Structure formats: structure tokens, C-alpha cells
Amino acid sequence: MSLLVLALGQLVVSLDYNIVYVALPDIGAGLGFSDHALQWVVSAYVVATGGFLLLGGRAADLLGRRRMFVLAALLYAGSSLVGGLSESPGVLVAVRAVQGVGGSLLFPATLSLINTLYEEGPARNRALAVWGAAGAGGLCFGSLLGGVLVEAFGWPSVFFVNVPLAGALAVAGLLLFPADGPRDRTRRFDVTGALTATGGITLLVFLLVQAPAEGWGTPAALTSAALSVCLLALFAVVELRSREPLVPARMFAHRGLLVAMGVTALFSATFSSVPYFLTLYFRTVHGYSAFATGLAFLVPAVVVAVGTQAGERAVSAFGMRRMLVGGMALGAAGAAALGSALTSDGSYARLLPGIVLLGLGQGAAWTGMWIAAATGVAAGDQGVASGLASTTLQVGGAVGLAVLVALAGGVGQSTSGPGLLDGIRTAVFAVAAGIGCGALALLVGPRVTNGPRATKP
């Protein structure tokens, strides 16, 4: 039952990230967003989540995993209620930022609970596969659920749906998870490190989201870049001098964690960017309704869920590196096949071979990278390990989507014409190339060895 609640927590995080995509045109029309400002319904969530993940991960270690899980769920429920009632663009963007903070607390709390409740090995791998199925599937089911809700009840429903889900999560967390106990007063919270890391990463993600659209030479971009560099440099100095650093130096002795951080960044930059371009393809090139677009993501959601389970079994059968290489190679082949099938008059069935291969590879890689991130990490450091890997996930996604949109010729700003389809196809082929390069790097790179073995939870 505890695993079901943890999987539901990950499902809520994934749904909340993706569910608004299909609703964006209706949100823009309903609240009077300008074309430029509408992107911040998505970007505010990304910036806040990316900036606060390290803080959320360490807070789970020091303040209690159950406490942070419950707090994050309540934050989701309250902000979602306000979001559904919003009547102005500014309020809705602020709500999305608060939801992002909730995600930055809930994601590492959920992952560190799994990594401490289940012993390293097959039991933890199975738990991570179930958790991964909920998360990876939620990225696709979000589009389906969003389409259904928008068609039936209007755009506020994509926020209201989170209220009972998140409220139930908070109650279940209190009832099912072991109590955290009193805080260990011998371990101090690195406030200065938390502030500098959060500020520096938030500004970095803001820069990566904003600059491709506004320009890298604008005052906002230059100011964000300068402040981000200064804060991150100050963070490094603080961490070297702190007795209880936000990110202990021993974390970087775990090569498995470092590899997992690289894989999460590449995963988010490539696999996770595909739904953005498929949404453009379905809604703009082929004129699908919101509901039809959501329905088109049903097959990818199911295939990704299957891939997460296959990935867990493949780790036991072939080992971590072989499984990751195989999953990413499968994903690269699927993205290449999908790009070839994107045409102005092609049927949905023509996309299925690429969708299936891509989804299987995505699911397997998703499960594998989180197993790698947790392996060999002590129980008391699982929160910060989760925060590190999930921070690179968010930053990688921001960088990847910005690069792909620029490479595709600004398709995010184009609304029609053959150039839009060419741009989408270019982006998907670039995704295939990126995943393929990642698989090759893992194949020829040095064998992964972890740092000090974890203590049993």
C-alpha cells in the first residue's frame, strides 16, 4: 500500500507538469494571456521546480521524509485550488510557481522514501519500476486527461483535479509512512548554501527558458546569467567551508550517481521533449481537438509503462550499463522512425512503430537511471542524491527544449505552413541523434563503480 501511495505521488508530479499543455489555448483565451506571456504557464513551473530541488532533497534528509511528503502534497492541493479559481494571468503564473515548489519538495521526498523503505537490490528495483511506470506514464497520460477535462469542463478542471488527489496523498502519507521521529540536532541545515544554490539554479533555469525567445543579449538575460554565475560560485565556496554542506563532497565519489545525473539531463533534453513537438504536430499540423490530441497520447503512455517494467527485469538479467545502453539505443531508433513518419497527410497508424520503440526505450531508461542514482548511496544521503539527479533532469529539460526549438527554426512561435512540419521533423531527428550519442558514450565509457556502500535502512 505504501508503494501505491508513492507511485501516486509521482503520478501527481508528472501529471501536473504535462496536463496544462493541451489546455494552453483555452487558458490563453479565457484569461487574456498575450502570446508571449502564455509560455509562463509552463515555464513558471519548470523554473521553480528546477531551482528548489536541491533544497527539497536535503530538507527530506534533515527535516523528515514523511513531513516533506505531506507538506508538499498540501502545497499542491492548496495551489491547485487557487489555480482553478484564478481570474488573471498573474495569479495563474504565481500558482504555477507555487506548484513547482511543491514538486521540488514532493519528488525527492517520494524517491528518498522508496530508497530507504526498500533495501538496495531486487526489492528496490521493483519498487522503482512501479514508481517509474507512474511517473513516465503520467507524462503521457497528462495530455490525455487534460484533453478530456478541457473538452468536458473547461480549463479550470486541469487544476481542480489535483485537489482531491493531493489531499488524499497527504492523508495517506500520514497514515502509512513511518514517523520521522525528532530531528537530529547534531545535523545542521546549510541555510547559506540552500539560499545560494536555490537562487543560482533558479536564475539559470530562468535564463535557459527565457533567453531563446527574448534573445541572449537582452538586459534580463545578461543580468540573470551574471547573477547565476555569482551565486553558484558563492555556493561552491560556502560548501567547501561548511561543516554540514547542502551537498556533501562525498556525493561526488559515487560515480554511479554522476553517471545517473548525466543520463537524467540527456533523458529530459531528448525523450521528454518529444511530447511538446507531437502536441504541435497533432493540434496544428493535423488540426486535432484537445480530446483527440489527448487520446493520441494513450498508446505512448501504455508503452512507456511497459518499458519501465521491462527495464527493471533487464537490470537483473544484463546489468545496469547494458540495460541503459539498450534502452537508449531502442529510443534512438524509435525517434528516427517517428521523424520519418511525420508527414502532412500521414495517418496515426504510420507513427506507431516509432512510438512503440521510443516508448519502450524511454520507460527502460527512466527506471534504470533512478536505480543508478540510488545504488551505493547511504540512507541519510538519499534525499540529496535524489535532489541532484532531479535537478539535472530539470536543467537538462530546459536546455534541451530551448535548443530543439531553436534548431527547429522557432516552431514554438510558428502557427502554420510547411515550415512548421519541417521544424518538428528536424527536432525529432535531433532527439534521435542525441539519444544515440548518449548510448554510445555509455557503451565506450569507463565501467561505472559506486562510492562507499550504503548502509541498510
Side-chain angles (χ1 to χ4, degrees), residues 4 7 14 16 33 50 65 125 140 142 144 146-148 192 196 200-201 210-211 219 227 241 246 269 289 342 382:
L4 178 62
S14 299
D16 202 48
F33 273 92
R65 298 176 180 90
N125 293 352
C140 294
L144 173 60
V148 172
T192 306
T196 52
I201 296 172
Q210 183 76 354
L227 288 176
R241 297 182 176 182
L246 183 71
S289 66
L342 296 173
Q382 285 291 345

Side-chain angles (χ1 to χ4, degrees), residues 43-416:
S43 298
Y45 185 92
V46 174
V47 170
T49 304
F52 283 81
L53 274 167
L54 269 183
L55 178 61
R58 202 54 175 162
D61 286 334
L62 298 182
L63 304 181
R65 298 176 180 90
R66 187 178 77 163
R67 292 189 187 103
M68 300 312 299
F69 183 93
V70 173
L71 173 63
L74 292 175
L75 198 60
Y76 257 120
S79 59
S80 296
L81 179 61
V82 175
L85 298 172
S86 297
E87 296 182 353
S88 70
V91 171
L92 189 62
V93 170
V95 163
R96 289 291 286 167
V98 174
Q99 287 182 322
V101 174
S104 70
L105 300 178
L106 186 60
F107 190 97
T110 302
L111 190 54
S112 61
L113 276 166
I114 289 178
N115 293 334
T116 51
L117 290 174
Y118 298 90
E119 188 172 353
E120 184 177 311
R124 182 189 291 175
N125 293 352
R126 284 192 294 270
L128 285 170
V130 173
W131 172 86
L139 292 175
C140 294
F141 274 122
S143 298
L144 173 60
L145 182 60
V148 172
L149 291 174
V150 169
E151 289 282 337
F153 306 107
W155 69 262
S157 60
V158 302
F159 293 93
F160 289 142
V161 71
N162 280 326
V163 178
L165 287 175
L169 276 181
V171 174
L174 281 173
L175 295 176
L176 295 176
F177 299 148
D180 294 311
R183 181 186 168 190
D184 184 357
R185 298 293 177 180
T186 64
R187 302 182 70 185
R188 300 175 58 190
F189 197 87
D190 181 11
V191 177
T192 306
L195 292 174
T196 52
T198 299
I201 296 172
T202 300
L203 287 167
L204 174 62
V205 178
F206 172 83
L207 173 68
L208 296 172
V209 169
Q210 183 76 354
E214 294 296 307
W216 294 93
T218 62
L222 294 174
T223 301
S224 297
L227 288 176
S228 177
V229 170
C230 290
L231 286 173
L232 290 176
L234 181 59
F235 169 67
V237 173
V238 169
E239 294 302 278
L240 290 174
R241 297 182 176 182
S242 175
R243 290 184 179 180
E244 292 286 345
L246 183 71
V247 182
R250 62 181 176 272
M251 301 306 299
F252 299 101
H254 293 275
R255 181 178 284 178
L257 175 59
L258 298 180
V259 170
M261 290 168 63
V263 174
T264 59
L266 179 65
F267 180 97
S268 189
T270 54
F271 283 110
S272 297
S273 296
V274 173
Y276 173 86
F277 293 100
L278 280 182
T279 300
L280 278 176
Y281 177 74
F282 291 138
R283 293 215 68 177
T284 307
V285 176
H286 282 284
Y288 285 14
S289 66
F291 174 74
T293 299
L295 198 61
F297 281 97
L298 179 59
V299 173
V302 173
V303 174
V304 168
V306 171
T308 60
Q309 305 306 302
E312 180 265 325
R313 291 171 173 81
V315 169
S316 300
F318 305 108
M320 177 60 62
R321 183 165 71 163
R322 290 179 180 176
M323 190 282 293
L324 281 173
V325 170
M328 294 175 72
L330 199 63
L338 181 62
S340 300
L342 296 173
T343 61
S344 59
D345 56 355
S347 65
Y348 182 77
R350 186 175 177 180
L351 305 179
L352 288 178
I355 285 175
V356 170
L357 292 176
L358 181 66
L360 289 173
Q362 179 178 353
W366 176 268
T367 298
M369 68 193 191
W370 296 116
I371 294 174
T375 301
V377 177
D381 289 329
Q382 285 291 345
V384 72
S386 303
L388 284 167
S390 50
T391 296
T392 54
L393 184 79
Q394 291 293 322
V395 174
V399 173
L401 188 58
V403 170
L404 289 170
V405 169
L407 185 63
V411 296
Q413 288 74 47
S414 179
T415 57
S416 62

